[in-house]
Amino acid sequence: MLVEDEKEFATVTRSALEQEGFVVDWMDTISLANEASRSAVHDLILLDLTLPDGDGLSLIPRFRADMPGVPIIVLSARGELTDRVSGLDRGADDYLVKPFELEEMLARIRAVQRRPNELAPNEVTVGALVVDTAFGEAKVNGSTLELQRREMSVLSALILRRGRTVLRESLEEAVYGFDDEIQSNSLDAHISRLRRKMNDAGAGVEIHAIRGVGYLLKAAS
Ligand code: CA
């Protein structure tokens, strides 16, 4: 999730991230970012501080509560030492002072994604399947399951809410940016590939379609 109110900066940042294969939800106010943190699963937050409806720092405690373990990188033109310290004190993982090179931003993103997470375990085990939702890695009996990025996003969203029905809309939001055009049957296509790959690997996991509502993941019975 990119929280940024400067349109030009956001557009450039977003396209750099998309080139790296990220799906980007761009929010330009605190209130939209708040809503998004409740309704969709994100892997990383890029947070500007000076936003039209307040100080981005105020979002950090909510992000920490709603998305434990999701790295937050503060992006701000305010480079003063006190701002850096208060951003990090409140739980940001890193801090980039504008202007910065996109290459540097991408390197910092890779670094926070690699960092072992002390706040919350990212590994979830169901059946013989072990998914690290922060690293975007799924293994069955120690062998990596080769998944496309969007298949991984669906799997993360389902496994984080295992045993519960996940609404179709939340899955679509996890797979596509809010502004991407969603093809009506593509979620089902991702799910069926995911099922086949997990089945072939002997994951011992089932994904049930709940007609008209969404999907539910659980250990095979
Ligand atoms: Ca701003």
Side-chain angles (χ1 to χ4, degrees):
M1 179 181 354
L2 171 63
V3 188
E4 171 61 69
D5 63 320
E6 286 149 62
K7 194 164 187 237
E8 200 177 322
F9 177 84
T11 307
V12 171
T13 307
R14 182 183 188 162
S15 68
L17 289 164
E18 285 175 346
Q19 272 174 26
E20 292 292 300
F22 289 98
V23 176
V24 182
D25 288 332
W26 170 31
M27 304 296 145
D28 60 1
T29 61
I30 286 182
S31 67
L32 284 174
N34 252 327
E35 253 172 65
S37 78
R38 281 191 298 264
S39 62
V41 178
H42 294 97
D43 310 302
L44 173 79
I45 314 288
L46 297 171
L47 178 63
D48 179 36
L49 295 187
T50 315
L51 292 160
D53 53 348
D55 188 336
L57 282 179
S58 68
L59 280 165
I60 294 180
R62 143 142 269 148
F63 287 158
R64 280 283 166 252
D66 285 352
M67 300 177 276
V70 174
I72 300 171
I73 300 180
V74 166
L75 311 176
S76 177
R78 291 194 255 152
E80 291 82 10
L81 187 62
T82 49
D83 287 327
R84 289 178 196 241
V85 169
S86 63
L88 296 169
D89 273 354
R90 291 205 200 187
D93 295 272
D94 204 351
Y95 196 111
L96 273 164
V97 178
K98 294 177 192 170
F100 49 79
E101 298 292 325
L102 290 168
E103 274 310 313
E104 183 180 5
M105 177 187 75
L106 296 171
R108 300 279 188 103
I109 289 174
R110 287 190 288 271
V112 295
Q113 289 191 314
R114 272 197 305 269
R115 204 170 287 169
N117 193 326
E118 293 138 25
L119 291 169
N122 299 309
E123 273 196 4
V124 184
T125 305
V126 176
L129 176 70
V130 180
V131 176
D132 187 320
T133 57
F135 282 81
E137 194 176 54
K139 286 185 172 180
V140 176
N141 299 320
S143 308
T144 302
L145 209 54
E146 297 298 336
L147 299 178
Q148 302 285 323
R149 181 174 282 270
R150 286 180 170 170
E151 292 163 7
M152 189 64 223
S153 304
V154 174
L155 179 58
S156 293
L158 285 170
I159 208 162
L160 286 169
R161 299 179 176 92
R162 59 202 172 278
R164 286 175 280 166
T165 303
V166 183
L167 298 180
R168 187 175 186 89
E169 295 77 54
S170 348
L171 290 171
E172 283 169 345
E173 280 170 10
V175 176
Y176 303 96
F178 287 145
D179 307 330
D180 285 357
E181 213 172 304
I182 298 169
Q183 263 121 30
S184 60
N185 58 354
S186 56
L187 175 64
D188 306 300
H190 290 310
I191 297 263
S192 77
R193 277 194 297 274
L194 197 51
R195 275 183 182 139
R196 181 166 39 79
K197 288 179 181 180
M198 293 198 303
N199 199 35
D200 291 350
V205 171
E206 292 172 349
I207 300 175
H208 295 270
I210 313 295
R211 188 186 277 266
V213 183
Y215 287 94
L216 178 152
L217 178 148
K218 65 183 190 67
S221 43

